[in-house]
Amino acid sequence: MNGFVAPSVGGQLDVLLPYLVVAVGGLAIMLVDALVRTRRRDHLPFLTLLVLLGSVLAQLARSGGEEREILAGMMTVGDYARYFNLLFAGCGVLTTVFAGAVLERDGRGRPEFYPLLLFSILGMMVLAAASDLLTVFLGIETMSLAVYVLAGGVRGDVRSSEAGFKYLLLGGFASAFLLMGMALLYGFAGGTAFSDIAGALAAREGDLGLAMLGGGLVLVGFAFKVAIVPFHMWTPDVYDGAPAYVTGFMATAVKAAGFAILVRFAWLMQPQLAFVWYPVLAGLAVVTMTVGNLVALAQSSVKRLLAWSSIAHAGYLMLGVVTLISPATGGSAQMVLGREVGESAGSALLFYLLAYSLMNLAAFGIVASLGSREGEADDIERYAGLSRRRPVAAAVLAVAMLSLAGIPPLVGFMSKFYLFSAVVRAGLVPLAVIGVINSLISVYYYLRLLVVMYMKKPEADGYAGHEPLAVGAAAVLAGLVLLLGVVPDGVHRAALVVFRQMSF
Amino acid sequence: MTVTLNHCLGLAAVIFVTGMAGFIVRRNAIVMLMCIELMLSAVNIVFAAFARQHADAGGHVFVLMNFAVAAAEAAIGLAILVEIYRRRRTVDVDELKTLME
């Protein structure tokens, strides 16, 4: 045993603390639920909120800044990971509030919901900090496995089970491609660390064809998670079948996590391989937003409408990734101008993800609150006259819809403005034009819901669910949507600083 | 005959494509889950082969992690499937159409 030295975590404990809090907190809540047998389970959401709050505090307590590698290069923590961790924690808090209110109303015991929510957040946090293929894989699977159960675990609800199973089947299929891509990248680079891959790419040693195929397959895996056409088939069914509070979480946190790793991966592979993927991804971005918006026009179910809208938004976000790896950023670190274009695209992406999470969570929160024990508020016609029955809920939903449509002065407009101006700066004017035309199309279906809520006569069977807590939380989000739309500068500048800290 | 890297990769490719084709063609949910397992096994072969090629333990570690995750995924998949079977008495994915419009 002489000469054995265990790898030390000393000096890394402070940066690991947010992760440990969430992991240990999730396990503790499982134990608490097993040991404390009460009929009402009000304490579980409170404990979950405490854990998330603890994680946020641990996150903020440490001075951030430059990225640094921890755990022998498995993870890279810095402001980038911190930005996403705070976003995930925020989505988790809102989801806990919505779920707590709805589960209470429906009288469903779902004690496994809260630990699983925390575990999926842990997976996302690992994913946002991953700098090794192994951590990417473990992060994405920890997140996905938990979300499969969140979506499919409503006992006695066959729609939920079906959604969960569909998600799992197609998710597993996509994971197999992701893994095969990782195996090929490993074969190319001889190591699983991002630095190994970057080094092998820079030295142009090994079989570049292997790297291209492997990287492409990995991108397919990520594209599935964030619902890029043609890997989007699961989205409408799963978003529809899962309960609304889970759908809100999937549409925001899971998507943000997918883009967190997609951006890091694209930025890593950009210098050498961009010329192959750039046209492909540009095409996919255009197809994704166009298909998402056109199909959303024909929806009569609110959850399906939001599902297709989330596909369209994935297309806009993909436009940012395309700009990031476009020839204009040419070899990222080398050119000053290229670096600038890359940074404006990267910060626009970060800002967009935050904005999108705010408005989408507000929308799903209201949808969740309007349901009842009999079913969820899904049929668009039964929203008629909502402004008279539930004025606050209708107003919040209206703000969320207007923001999703990109109407000033809401945050949805500012995020699109930053994104499209980065696209134009990179010289990709046609892509920006297609993006703007797409947002114009989207105004139609977002406004349709508004018209139904405010101008149609109320019907007898209209939705009238009322959850003061959920509506209140959604109203706070709507306030933020308005606030960040009017004064976006501070957050946008912070996003710019965050992206600048990313080393590669 | 010596088994070279290309033999291993060829075998993995055949298994991977078999799993993929099975997933696309078959409609029995349990068979589809098995097809995913087949694809993951192919990935394991590739990792093990490259680990040997590069004389690097990282690939082996990846294979072990892969086992664990694949097992968890199968467990969750079967659990949800049992719940579906209780209600619908079928594991044919074409019959699971509650969510289609």
Side-chain angles (χ1 to χ4, degrees), chain A residues 481-497:
Chain A
V481 164
L482 185 60
L483 181 71
L484 275 184
V486 179
V487 279
D489 269 0
V491 176
H492 181 249
R493 211 170 297 130
L496 193 61
V497 173

Side-chain angles (χ1 to χ4, degrees), chain A residues 174-299:
Chain A
S175 288
F177 283 99
L178 178 79
L179 270 169
M180 187 49 105
M182 288 181 173
L184 297 181
L185 277 179
Y186 172 66
F188 160 75
T192 52
F194 279 11
S195 53
D196 294 335
I197 297 169
L201 280 175
R204 296 192 160 278
E205 58 193 21
D207 187 353
L208 270 184
L210 211 56
M212 264 173 234
L213 184 60
L217 287 176
V218 170
L219 282 181
V220 168
F222 294 154
F224 173 87
K225 288 290 164 219
V226 299
I228 297 289
V229 177
F231 311 106
H232 68 293
M233 269 85 84
W234 57 277
T235 318
D237 283 355
V238 175
Y239 280 25
D240 190 15
Y245 53 92
V246 176
T247 311
F249 185 69
M250 287 198 288
T252 54
V254 174
K255 199 169 282 245
F259 270 103
I261 189 59
L262 189 55
V263 166
R264 203 190 270 274
F265 188 75
W267 196 232
L268 163 80
M269 304 291 264
Q270 194 271 344
Q272 277 77 23
L273 293 176
F275 63 97
V276 188
W277 292 333
Y278 159 68
V280 178
L281 292 184
L284 288 187
V286 168
V287 173
T288 302
M289 49 194 182
T290 312
V291 169
N293 279 322
L294 290 182
V295 181
L297 290 177
Q299 299 305 314

Side-chain angles (χ1 to χ4, degrees), chain A residues 138-149:
Chain A
L138 288 180
I140 218 167
E141 291 299 326
T142 309
M143 167 182 91
S144 304
L145 291 178
V147 173
Y148 297 150
V149 185

Side-chain angles (χ1 to χ4, degrees), chain A residues 133-134 137-138 141 145 148-149 155-156 158-159 161-166 168-170 172-173 176-177 179-180 182-184 186-188 190-192 210 237 240-241 299 304, chain B residues 16 20 23-24 29 32-33 36 39-40 42-43 46-47 50-51 54 56 58-59 61-62 65-66 69 72-73 76-77 80-81 83-84 87-88 93 96-101:
Chain A
L133 293 179
L134 189 58
F137 170 60
L138 288 180
E141 291 299 326
L145 291 178
Y148 297 150
V149 185
R155 230 167 288 138
V158 81
R159 285 165 58 84
S161 308
E162 228 172 80
F165 192 69
K166 240 171 215 176
L168 179 129
L169 260 192
L170 291 169
F173 192 58
F177 283 99
L179 270 169
M180 187 49 105
M182 288 181 173
L184 297 181
Y186 172 66
F188 160 75
T192 52
L210 211 56
D237 283 355
D240 190 15
Q299 299 305 314
R304 272 183 182 268
Chain B
F16 192 81
M20 196 167 86
F23 185 89
I24 293 167
M32 289 170 85
L33 276 177
I36 293 175
M39 293 167 80
L40 295 179
V43 172
V46 176
F47 265 117
F50 278 128
H54 294 301
D56 175 73
V61 175
F62 223 115
M65 295 291 178
N66 204 352
V69 170
E73 192 166 306
I76 292 174
I80 300 180
L81 199 57
E83 174 74 17
I84 293 177
R87 308 232 141 216
R88 305 287 305 277
V93 288
L96 303 180
K97 279 193 194 148
T98 323
L99 294 171
M100 303 245 171
E101 282 163 308

Side-chain angles (χ1 to χ4, degrees), chain A residues 15-23 51-52 54-56 58-59 75-77 80-82 84-89 117-131 135 139-140 142-143 253 257 260 264:
Chain A
V15 285
L16 280 176
L17 198 58
Y19 300 86
L20 292 176
V21 168
V22 175
V51 170
L52 288 171
S55 161
V56 167
Q59 200 73 245
M75 302 206 313
T76 304
V77 290
Y80 184 73
R82 183 147 74 149
F84 276 102
N85 289 351
L86 293 176
L87 182 59
F88 301 147
L117 184 73
L118 289 175
F119 294 147
S120 76
I121 289 177
L122 177 68
M124 292 169 190
M125 291 166 72
V126 170
L127 195 56
S131 58
T135 20
I140 218 167
T142 309
M143 167 182 91
R264 203 190 270 274

Side-chain angles (χ1 to χ4, degrees), chain A residues 275-447:
Chain A
F275 63 97
V276 188
W277 292 333
Y278 159 68
V280 178
L281 292 184
L284 288 187
V286 168
V287 173
T288 302
M289 49 194 182
T290 312
V291 169
N293 279 322
L294 290 182
V295 181
L297 290 177
Q299 299 305 314
S300 60
S301 138
V302 173
K303 277 163 86 188
R304 272 183 182 268
L305 186 149
L306 286 171
W308 286 103
S309 122
S310 93
I311 293 172
H313 281 271
Y316 301 136
L317 285 159
M318 202 59 185
L319 214 52
V321 177
V322 167
T323 309
L324 202 60
I325 63 166
S326 72
T329 60
S332 54
Q334 285 91 330
M335 291 161 60
V336 178
L337 182 68
R339 176 103 204 160
E340 210 172 282
V341 173
E343 278 172 359
S344 71
S347 60
L349 265 173
L350 294 182
F351 187 79
Y352 200 108
L353 282 170
L354 172 68
Y356 177 69
S357 300
L358 289 175
M359 50 206 189
N360 227 12
L361 275 173
F364 277 109
I366 295 298
V367 172
S369 80
L370 287 175
S372 66
R373 221 175 263 246
E374 280 72 49
E376 298 210 281
D378 205 18
D379 183 1
I380 206 168
E381 293 307 320
R382 289 170 64 188
Y383 277 71
L386 192 71
S387 60
R388 268 166 261 177
R389 284 195 305 278
R390 297 273 172 259
V392 179
V396 171
L397 193 53
V399 169
M401 287 294 143
L402 289 173
S403 182
L404 281 166
I407 288 173
L410 301 169
V411 74
F413 169 75
M414 284 320 292
S415 56
K416 278 198 180 117
F417 171 76
Y418 287 133
L419 189 72
F420 291 149
S421 49
V423 176
V424 171
R425 273 177 90 180
L428 307 173
V429 179
L431 287 182
V433 170
I434 296 174
V436 171
I437 292 176
N438 260 292
S439 355
L440 287 179
I441 298 175
S442 73
V443 171
Y444 174 80
Y445 60 84
Y446 290 125
L447 283 190

Side-chain angles (χ1 to χ4, degrees), chain B residues 1-3 12-13 24 26 28 31 33-34 37 40-42 47-48 50 52 69 73 75 79 95:
Chain B
M1 186 189 95
T2 49
V3 178
I24 293 167
R26 297 295 297 268
N28 182 313
V31 175
L33 276 177
M34 285 160 66
E37 299 296 316
L40 295 179
S41 302
F47 265 117
F50 278 128
R52 174 104 183 143
V69 170
E73 192 166 306
E95 309 262 317

Side-chain angles (χ1 to χ4, degrees), chain A residues 78-99:
Chain A
D79 274 349
Y80 184 73
R82 183 147 74 149
Y83 182 89
F84 276 102
N85 289 351
L86 293 176
L87 182 59
F88 301 147
C91 292
V93 166
L94 268 307
T95 304
T96 309
V97 172
F98 297 149

